[in-house]
Amino acid sequence: MSPLLDNLLSAPILFFGLGMLATAVRSDLEIPKPVARFLSLYLLIAIGLKGGAELRAAGLDLHIVLTLGVAVASAFIVPLWTFFLLRLRLDAPNAAALAATYGSISAVTFITAEAFLENQDIPSSGYMVAAMALMESPAIIVGVLLARHYASPATPEPASNTNKLHLRELLREAVFNGAVLVLLGGMLIGALTPESNLEAIAPGFKAPFTALLCVFLLDMGLVAARKLGDLKTGGAFLIGFGILAAPVHAALGIALAALLQLPVGDALLLAVLIGSASYIAVPAAMRLSVPDANPSIYVPMALAITFPFNVTLGIPLYLAAIQYLWNA
C-alpha cells in the first residue's frame, strides 16, 4: 500500500473525515470543550515527555543545536516574505496576522506526522519536539511588529507606556502560552526523569496515545468543517494561498533538511513544521495585539484549508519527495 493511501486509511485521518462528515450532514455530534481541552493537553504532554527522554538519550551536540537554530530562523523568515506577498491584496493588520499564522506551527499536524512515521516504521529524533516548541513564538513577534510598523498613518499611535505594556504582554504570551509551556515542561520532565520512572507512567502516556489522537482529530474535523463557510471572506486569492503555502513552505523545510543532512524522519518533521499553520496560539495572540485583523480570515484558512491538506495529502507527499531525493 502506498504511503498516501496508507495515511488516508489510517484511523486518525478517518476519524478526522468522520468529524467533517458529521458537520456536513448536520449531525448533533459534539465533543465537549473540556474534553477537547484535556485531549490537547494530554497529546502535548505525551509528545513532550517522549521528546525529552529521547533528547536525553541522544545528548545535545553541535548538529542538534544547528538544526534547532535553522528551525527557529525559518520561523522568523517565513512570515516576512509571506507578509509582503499578502500585502498585494490585504491591509497591514490582516496581512501581518496571516503571515504570523503561516510562520508559526501546528502542534497537531506535527503529532499526526509523528504517528504517521511510527506507522511507516521510520524513526525520528526527540529533539524535533524542541524545534516545534521553539518555532511557535517567533512568528507571533514578527507579525505584531509588522502590523505596527506598517499601520495606517491615520491610526493614532498609542502612548509609550501602553506600547511597553503591549510588548511585555506579547512576549509573555508568545513565550509562556499554554501550548509552549506544556511542551517545554514535558520535555524538561522527560529529560530529568530516570527511565525507570518514565516506564511507570508509560501505560498512561504511550499505549492510549493513538486512540486519544483519533478522538481529538474527530473533534478537529467537526471544527474545521464549521469554519469552511467563513472562507468566502477571503476570496479565491487567499484560498489559493492557503492551499499552496503548505507545499511551498514544506519544500523550504526539505531543502534545509537536505543541507543539514537530516535523516528521513527528521526531514519530514521539519518540512511539516515549516509547512503548517497555527490556529491556536497565533489567533489568541493576534486578538490581543492586532485587534484590527479579521479572525474570519486567518483562522479558517489555517484550520479549514492548510490543516486538512497537510494531514491528509501533505504528509505522505512530503515523505515521498524526501525519500526520492534522499535515495537519488
Side-chain angles (χ1 to χ4, degrees):
M1 187 181 294
S2 69
L4 176 59
L5 186 58
D6 194 28
N7 184 57
L8 291 174
L9 295 179
S10 67
I13 302 305
L14 290 174
F15 272 99
F16 178 79
L18 177 61
M20 296 197 75
L21 175 64
T23 298
V25 299
R26 299 182 181 180
S27 168
D28 61 352
L29 177 63
E30 185 178 0
I31 305 294
K33 286 185 178 180
V35 175
R37 176 69 173 168
F38 163 77
L39 291 171
S40 299
L41 291 173
Y42 171 88
L43 294 173
L44 291 172
I45 291 172
I47 204 72
L49 286 172
K50 177 185 175 184
E54 292 187 9
L55 184 60
R56 178 191 59 197
L60 197 64
D61 58 25
L62 180 60
H63 186 261
I64 292 176
V65 172
L66 180 60
T67 302
L68 295 178
V70 168
V72 172
S74 72
F76 280 104
I77 294 170
V78 168
L80 288 174
W81 83 263
T82 303
F83 172 79
F84 291 106
L85 174 64
L86 292 168
R87 280 289 281 141
L88 298 174
R89 296 292 185 92
L90 298 175
D91 58 16
N94 283 304
L98 205 48
T101 298
Y102 281 86
S104 189
I105 59 94
S106 164
V108 181
T109 308
F110 179 90
I111 293 169
T112 305
E114 278 213 323
F116 174 74
L117 286 173
E118 287 187 9
N119 191 43
Q120 297 291 317
D121 293 323
I122 299 174
S124 62
S125 303
Y127 69 81
M128 294 306 296
V129 180
M132 174 177 64
L134 294 171
M135 288 174 69
E136 190 165 39
S137 301
I140 296 174
I141 298 171
V142 172
V144 174
L145 292 177
L146 287 170
R148 293 185 178 173
H149 181 73
Y150 289 94
S152 169
T155 303
E157 290 292 329
S160 176
N161 288 340
T162 304
N163 262 334
K164 291 179 182 178
L165 179 63
H166 284 179
L167 182 59
R168 191 183 309 123
E169 184 64 19
L170 167 66
L171 292 172
R172 188 198 66 79
E173 177 65 26
V175 177
F176 296 112
N177 73 76
V180 173
L181 192 62
V182 167
L183 271 173
L184 292 177
M187 281 191 63
L188 182 62
I189 292 170
L192 295 177
T193 304
E195 188 174 349
S196 57
N197 289 349
L198 285 178
E199 288 177 357
I201 62 173
F205 284 101
K206 207 169 185 180
F209 183 87
T210 303
L212 291 179
L213 177 61
C214 289
V215 182
F216 182 76
L217 285 179
L218 171 65
D219 181 57
M220 293 304 303
L222 292 167
V223 175
R226 293 182 191 127
K227 293 293 182 182
L228 284 173
D230 296 336
L231 292 177
K232 56 187 178 183
T233 306
F237 172 80
L238 292 182
I239 292 174
F241 175 86
I243 295 172
L244 294 176
V248 169
H249 291 159
L252 171 62
I254 293 172
L256 292 173
L259 290 174
L260 293 165
Q261 297 183 333
L262 297 181
V264 169
D266 294 353
L268 175 65
L269 294 180
L270 182 61
V272 165
L273 286 172
I274 298 178
S276 62
S278 172
Y279 49 82
I280 298 175
V282 169
M286 291 301 107
R287 285 173 189 166
L288 172 70
S289 303
V290 190
D292 292 335
N294 186 356
S296 67
I297 294 178
Y298 57 83
V299 173
M301 281 185 63
L303 185 55
I305 297 180
T306 304
F307 175 72
F309 174 84
N310 273 329
V311 299
T312 56
L313 301 177
I315 292 172
L317 290 176
Y318 307 153
L319 177 63
I322 291 167
Q323 289 176 324
Y324 174 80
L325 293 171
W326 267 233
N327 293 328

